[in-house]
């Protein structure tokens, strides 16, 4: 079993850590504060406990065993021994650039770096390391333990060997994958972020209420979630950062974030992870049902 390093224990990192720990891997999960790690530990335990309810057919796992395979730490140097590294820090290029310099120094030269970014080009991330051939985009979907497919992004220098190593690991973890070329936002988020932003503009302009916008997508198109619920699930800060990356990368105003999105993020209203976004959530448990907010207006 490979040792897996996961950096960032927020919405995505805790799910990625859970995914690999459930499969029997030893995981090192790093974040900057003990409080975040404690919340990750509690949420992973809860997710494993409720997995059979949330994922019919999922094997029964003992929460204490899964959590026991994860070393929760604020000490980045603990990634020294890992065989694979998955980075899940916030969608900010300056932060990622400085972090990848440190990771490159700490990890053995052959260790593949899986970049879980929403929009930042993989070739740009690879340029912050001395191992551009070992850097690959591993765009996990949210929640990582339950979504069946990962978008894999080949950077300009990503080698065939790195691709094969990551494909092998994902195969053994029961995940499918689809490989795409490198471009800001890749395939999924170049389309999705525009859609979410446009839904937020509709709310901002008062064309419809939050609940109605989401119901239209669910009831008319058969989507399992509406665009505003999806934005809440992703995290409104992550949606905003991703739109900023797309806007800068393409130098195209069509990705200009809606002012309402910026205002909500400034107000600390970030979606499920804070209990309030376009909808209200009784707690921040990531698989809770959405509490619809009626036609609450954000002006
Ligand atoms: P998040 O804000 O929920 O979590 C980010 C975590 O990174 C925080 O806990 C933060 O404390 C930690 N962090 C910041 N700097 C760090 C450092 N130097 N070392 C260790 N940890 C550090 O964000 P998220 O939603 O989990 O997103 C993480 C990455 O995954 C982003 O690049 C995002 O674009 C991408 N992504 C997000 C989603 C989603 O649905 N939220 C889906 C796919 C990919």
């Amino acid at each position: 079993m490979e040792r897996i390093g996961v950096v960032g224990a927020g919405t995505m990192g805790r799910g990625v850590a859970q995914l690999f720990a459930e499969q029997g891997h030893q995981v090192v999960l790093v974040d900057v504060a003990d409080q975040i790690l404690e919340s990750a530990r509690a949420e992973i335990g809860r997710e494993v406990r409720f997995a059979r309810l949330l994922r019919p057919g999922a094997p029964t796992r003992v929460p204490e065993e899964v959590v026991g395979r994860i070393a929760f730490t604020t000490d980045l140097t603990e990634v020294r021994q890992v065989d694979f590294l998955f980075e899940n820090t916030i969608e900010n290029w300056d932060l990622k650039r400085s972090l990848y310099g440190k990771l490159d120094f700490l990890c053995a030269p052959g260790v593949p770096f899986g970049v879980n970014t929403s929009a930042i080009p993989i070739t740009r991330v690879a340029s912050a390391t001395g191992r551009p051939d070992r850097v690959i985009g591993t765009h996990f979907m949210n929640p990582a333990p339950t979504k069946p497919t990962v978008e894999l992004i080949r950077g300009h220098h990503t080698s065939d060997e790195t691709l094969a190593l990551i494909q092998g690991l994902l195969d053994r973890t029961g995940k499918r994958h689809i490989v795409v070329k490198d471009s800001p936002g890749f395939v999924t988020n170049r389309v999705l972020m525009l859609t979410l932003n446009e839904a937020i503009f509709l709310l901002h302009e008062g064309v419809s209420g939050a609940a109605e916008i989401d119901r239209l997508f669910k009831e008319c198109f058969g989507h399992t979630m509406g665009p505003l619920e999806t934005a809440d699930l992703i995290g409104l800060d992550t949606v905003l950062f991703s739109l900023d990356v797309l806007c800068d990368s393409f130098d195209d105003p069509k990705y200009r974030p809606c002012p309402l999105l910026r205002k909500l993020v400034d107000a600390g209203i970030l979606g499920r992870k804070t209990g309030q976004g376009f909808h209200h959530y009784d707690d921040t448990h990531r698989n809770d049902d959405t509490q619809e907010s009626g036609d609450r207006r954000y002006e």
Side-chain angles (χ1 to χ4, degrees):
M1 277 289 179
E2 297 88 347
R3 290 157 299 180
I4 309 287
V6 179
V7 181
T11 306
M12 292 309 293
R14 56 188 65 185
V16 172
Q18 179 189 333
L19 166 71
F20 287 114
E22 282 184 343
Q23 300 301 319
H25 294 277
Q26 294 297 323
V27 177
V28 175
L29 178 59
V30 188
D31 207 300
V32 292
D34 288 329
Q35 190 191 352
I36 298 169
L37 292 164
E38 277 316 307
S39 141
R41 185 199 300 273
E43 183 170 344
I44 293 169
R46 214 163 45 220
E47 289 288 320
V48 177
R49 196 163 296 119
F50 291 116
R52 281 212 304 166
L53 290 176
L54 300 166
R55 290 182 260 164
T60 308
R61 295 192 172 93
V62 180
E64 290 74 17
E65 286 178 10
V66 174
V67 171
R69 283 189 208 108
I70 305 174
F72 297 84
T73 181
T74 53
D75 182 1
L76 189 64
T77 65
E78 290 199 27
V79 300
R80 275 205 176 104
Q81 305 300 326
V82 302
D83 302 305
F84 286 86
L85 190 288
F86 295 93
E87 178 273 317
N88 305 263
T89 62
I90 56 173
E91 190 72 351
N92 177 295
W93 170 230
D94 288 338
L95 187 152
K96 286 199 199 281
R97 180 170 45 201
S98 118
L99 178 64
Y100 273 92
K102 292 178 197 159
L103 293 172
D104 198 37
F105 174 75
L106 289 169
C107 295
V111 171
F113 287 174
V115 190
N116 192 14
T117 165
S118 295
I120 299 172
I122 302 310
T123 309
R124 192 186 302 169
V125 177
S127 73
T129 75
R131 64 182 81 199
D133 59 311
R134 287 285 174 181
V135 179
I136 183 166
T138 48
H139 185 205
F140 287 91
M141 303 297 143
N142 179 8
T146 57
K147 294 289 175 176
T149 304
V150 179
E151 187 178 28
L152 286 185
I153 305 107
R154 256 194 110 138
H156 183 77
H157 294 291
T158 309
S159 65
D160 290 343
E161 193 189 347
T162 300
L163 181 61
L165 281 170
I166 292 286
Q167 286 173 323
L169 180 67
L170 291 177
D171 285 348
R172 294 192 293 284
T173 312
K175 290 283 180 215
R176 298 195 292 263
H177 59 267
I178 297 170
V179 183
V180 304
K181 292 183 183 148
D182 194 19
S183 179
F186 328 120
V187 170
T188 50
N189 279 343
R190 187 152 153 198
V191 175
L192 180 66
M193 292 299 163
L194 272 180
T195 305
L196 303 188
N197 199 36
E198 208 56 38
I200 301 168
F201 267 113
L202 284 165
L203 182 67
H204 183 54
E205 292 164 14
V207 176
S208 189
E212 291 76 11
I213 290 171
D214 282 333
R215 281 186 55 211
L216 283 160
F217 280 80
K218 290 188 286 190
E219 294 178 28
C220 300
F221 294 156
H223 291 185
T224 48
M225 294 176 78
L228 300 176
E229 288 168 309
T230 304
D232 279 350
L233 177 71
I234 292 171
L236 302 191
D237 49 348
T238 302
V239 174
L240 175 62
F241 299 152
S242 304
L243 285 163
D244 280 337
V245 170
L246 288 165
C247 210
D248 288 348
S249 302
F250 289 112
D251 198 14
D252 188 336
K254 80 178 171 188
Y255 298 102
R256 178 180 71 100
C258 176
L260 172 61
L261 176 62
R262 227 176 254 292
K263 186 173 171 181
L264 291 174
V265 173
D266 285 344
I269 296 169
L270 305 182
R272 280 183 181 232
K273 60 185 162 187
T274 58
Q276 180 67 53
F278 296 107
H279 302 282
H280 177 74
Y281 305 89
D282 279 339
D283 64 31
T284 56
H285 190 253
R286 64 179 177 237
N287 283 320
D288 274 355
D289 287 331
T290 299
Q291 315 276 312
E292 305 244 317
S293 62
D295 79 343
R296 177 176 294 153
R297 296 273 187 267
Y298 296 93
E299 289 158 67

